Amino acid sequence: MEQEKKNSDHIPGSALQVMEGVEQPDQINSEAVKKFKARKRSQHTVEELVEGILTGNRTLLSKAITLVESSLPDHQEQAQLIITACLQSLNSEIRNTKFEIQNPKFEIRNQSIRVGITGVPGVGKSTFIEALGKHLTAKGHKLAVLAIDPSSSRSKGSILGDKTRMEELAVDPNAFIRPSPAAGSLGGVARKTRETIILCEAAGFDVIFVETVGVGQSETTVHSMVDFFLLLMLAGAGDELQGIKRGIIEMADAIVVNKADGDNMNKAKTARMEYANALHLFPPPDSGWTPVADICSARSRMGIDHVWEIIMEHRKITGDNGYFHRRRMEQNRQIFRETIETGLQRHFFAQKEISQVIAKLEQEIMNGLENPYRKANELLEKYFRKE
Ligand code: GDP
């Protein structure tokens, strides 16, 4: 309006040129409006995200994973709706293909395989994942690589994220690499990874790698969310040196000695024998599978295809004897329990009466002034009375 009025105040001529100059701020404003609209458009509805995931749209899959990883209540609510929709879609796919269950390849395509990969920093995890990943995408698989990095919640520097990793896979249209969620307790990170697995499977990824650094607790967590657990090792370094605990070796479905190349070949072969012997000392697992030791060179890609054959053999054996399905159901039972426990905990600590006194009580307990059992029970009673 203002503009029209000004224009009409002047006869066309040199003054018009001045007016053009004055119009500039309008242009900037309209850019800002466009930007704002674009921002609004980028906030997708739950329906849009679900549809995007189910049609394999990677951008929308990433956005949905970001919601899963967010701790904002709003985002969590949306994430739960998305996960439920994805689970429903996965279940109906599995039901539809039940008659095909005898054909392992078909079944695997519709019911993904989840592989945990661990080993100390430097053992060659990213090189190995890149090599096996390229082998799989060349065979027509769709691979998602997720990471659980226990260091990222404690320090800014992340063991898994501090270098350019898996350069070939990163640009492979059939691979999807998602770094570890940035922060939180191991339990929290694990829950998010479990949910991310579901989203990736709904998006059509039929092989899921969950990578972790073999330095602590996270292996047990990864083991609890995968079908096959692979431990990468180096030759010539004792278990102590590699920081791998006996319990982790016991969890492994396969131990693969990496860097079996050049001068290292003989050492790798010796190590394979030692691990094979060590594995025999453990009681046979109830999966019906006998864990194996093998060698590979992720760098030269020697033995990579054989590692996949081992995983497929495990899949076939555990599929035939029912263990694969039983284990997934047992993992679901665990998720059910954990979800209840987390929900209760969150509710408990969110109570005003509790959050107001908890720090003070903890300090008093640390100073030896209070009996921890008595105080804990008092708080619990207070909580239950309120319910
Ligand atoms: P990560 O920390 O476990 O992810 O290990 P990387 O994949 O980053 O590998 C650590 C180093 O070992 C890098 O310099 C790799 O090039 C090297 N490496 C990885 N695999 C092999 C292998 O099979 N043979 C040899 N000789 N070196 C390897």
Side-chain angles (χ1 to χ4, degrees):
M1 278 296 287
E2 180 83 355
Q3 201 64 48
E4 277 168 25
K5 194 164 169 278
K6 273 189 187 166
N7 278 339
S8 64
D9 283 350
H10 297 272
I11 45 162
S14 58
L16 256 186
Q17 281 177 330
V18 176
M19 288 310 296
E20 273 172 19
V22 176
E23 275 173 26
Q24 274 180 10
D26 271 347
Q27 265 188 339
I28 294 164
N29 280 347
S30 69
E31 278 305 303
V33 168
K34 252 193 250 163
K35 242 193 215 162
F36 176 72
K37 279 189 178 157
R39 222 181 7 242
K40 277 209 95 167
R41 266 202 305 273
S42 72
Q43 284 168 0
H44 297 275
T45 63
V46 165
E47 289 76 13
E48 284 167 347
L49 288 171
V50 170
E51 201 189 311
I53 293 169
L54 297 184
T55 53
N57 181 322
R58 303 156 64 101
T59 312
L60 294 185
L61 171 64
S62 292
K63 283 189 196 285
I65 295 175
T66 306
L67 287 180
V68 162
E69 290 173 355
S70 163
S71 48
L72 294 178
D74 245 21
H75 290 173
Q76 273 303 305
E77 209 173 295
Q78 290 172 53
Q80 287 313 312
L81 292 171
I82 296 169
I83 291 159
T84 305
C86 287
L87 273 176
Q88 251 161 16
S89 140
L90 282 168
N91 284 340
S92 61
E93 253 183 71
I94 290 165
R95 260 200 307 280
N96 288 343
T97 60
K98 236 181 184 157
F99 63 96
E100 291 272 13
I101 221 116
Q102 292 312 313
N103 177 346
K105 198 167 177 210
F106 196 81
E107 193 197 347
I108 287 161
R109 290 207 164 274
N110 289 281
Q111 197 180 317
S112 77
I113 180 137
R114 307 166 183 169
V115 180
I117 298 174
T118 194
V120 291
V123 71
K125 287 181 299 300
S126 29
T127 316
F128 175 85
I129 291 173
E130 171 120 310
L132 182 53
K134 288 305 288 181
H135 175 69
L136 294 178
T137 57
K139 279 164 78 95
H141 287 286
K142 287 188 77 190
L143 167 72
V145 181
L146 314 175
I148 289 191
D149 182 351
S151 64
S152 60
S153 57
R154 267 181 265 142
S155 62
K156 273 197 197 130
S158 146
I159 298 179
L160 293 175
D162 55 357
K163 55 194 161 170
T164 313
R165 311 171 76 241
M166 307 174 218
E167 283 170 354
E168 278 183 61
L169 268 190
V171 294
D172 188 326
N174 286 318
F176 177 78
I177 301 175
R178 181 80 184 188
S180 183
S185 65
L186 181 56
V189 170
R191 182 174 54 77
K192 290 166 188 175
T193 306
R194 280 204 185 92
E195 295 176 349
T196 303
I197 290 177
I198 292 163
L199 264 46
C200 290
E201 289 176 352
F205 291 95
D206 62 335
V207 183
I208 313 284
F209 285 171
V210 183
E211 178 191 8
T212 190
V213 180
V215 288
Q217 262 264 299
S218 54
E219 294 81 4
T220 321
T221 311
V222 171
H223 185 251
S224 74
M225 61 177 85
V226 296
D227 309 308
F228 189 97
F229 192 67
L230 177 69
L231 177 58
L232 285 180
M233 295 289 253
L234 292 172
D239 297 351
E240 296 311 317
L241 260 182
Q242 297 192 46
I244 300 288
K245 295 191 189 74
R246 189 190 136 98
I248 294 170
I249 294 188
E250 201 168 356
M251 282 191 303
D253 293 302
I255 295 180
V256 176
V257 182
N258 188 33
K259 307 198 186 182
D261 44 41
D263 296 345
N264 212 22
M265 186 52 117
N266 284 338
K267 269 199 274 177
K269 284 182 177 165
T270 312
R272 171 178 53 188
M273 230 160 63
E274 282 169 7
Y275 285 124
N277 290 337
L279 285 171
H280 274 111
L281 298 178
F282 294 121
D286 47 0
S287 59
W289 166 256
T290 314
V292 295
D294 201 6
I295 53 170
C296 79
S297 165
R299 183 178 280 175
S300 74
R301 306 202 169 174
M302 182 281 294
I304 295 294
D305 47 350
H306 191 241
V307 174
W308 184 245
E309 282 167 20
I310 291 172
I311 296 172
M312 285 296 92
E313 207 185 317
H314 174 275
R315 175 68 184 86
K316 169 101 182 69
I317 289 175
T318 57
D320 287 350
N321 69 17
Y323 179 82
F324 184 92
H325 182 72
R326 270 205 317 279
R327 184 168 158 75
R328 286 247 176 141
M329 295 305 107
E330 166 58 24
Q331 288 172 349
N332 279 348
R333 190 191 64 81
Q334 250 171 294
I335 291 173
F336 169 72
R337 275 286 173 123
E338 278 172 22
T339 309
I340 293 175
E341 282 167 10
T342 325
L344 282 175
Q345 259 191 34
R346 203 179 295 139
H347 190 256
F348 176 82
F349 288 110
Q351 301 303 304
K352 241 192 174 160
E353 299 85 336
I354 287 161
S355 63
Q356 275 167 353
V357 296
I358 200 115
K360 184 172 154 281
L361 284 176
E362 276 178 349
Q363 196 52 55
E364 286 173 4
I365 287 163
M366 300 253 291
N367 293 341
L369 301 173
E370 285 291 355
N371 172 344
Y373 298 104
R374 192 160 56 92
K375 282 292 149 191
N377 284 327
E378 272 175 25
L379 270 194
L380 284 168
E381 268 168 37
K382 201 175 193 175
Y383 175 73
F384 289 128
R385 263 203 309 277
K386 194 169 165 273
E387 283 304 289

